[in-house]
Amino acid sequence: MIRDEVFSCFVFYSVLLVLKMYILAIITGQLRLRKKAFVNPEDAMRHGGLLYHRIDPDVERYRR
């Protein structure tokens, strides 16, 4: 009986962590597009040029 309770807790918290990971990835991507702060030059060229290949402190603070 105890094994079922432990496993159900494990699954519950695993699902919570995966959902958190997906939500943070989506919000970080939206913030990068809004602030025009891209990590790699290919994305910067697609969205306006190498001027936007930079590190934005707001994006980095959100990632932590």
Side-chain angles (χ1 to χ4, degrees), residues 15-47:
V15 168
L16 281 181
L17 287 175
V18 168
L19 287 175
K20 177 189 171 196
M21 182 182 64
Y22 282 129
I23 290 169
L24 288 178
I26 291 170
I27 292 174
T28 303
Q30 289 177 347
L31 190 60
R32 284 193 184 279
L33 285 173
R34 190 177 312 132
K35 294 276 191 170
K36 291 195 177 225
F38 300 104
V39 177
N40 49 4
E42 292 86 13
D43 291 340
M45 289 300 291
R46 181 178 291 182
H47 294 284

Side-chain angles (χ1 to χ4, degrees), residues 45-60:
M45 289 300 291
R46 181 178 291 182
H47 294 284
L50 287 178
L51 171 70
Y52 299 115
H53 177 63
R54 58 191 170 89
I55 296 175
D56 189 85
D58 291 334
V59 174
E60 294 302 316

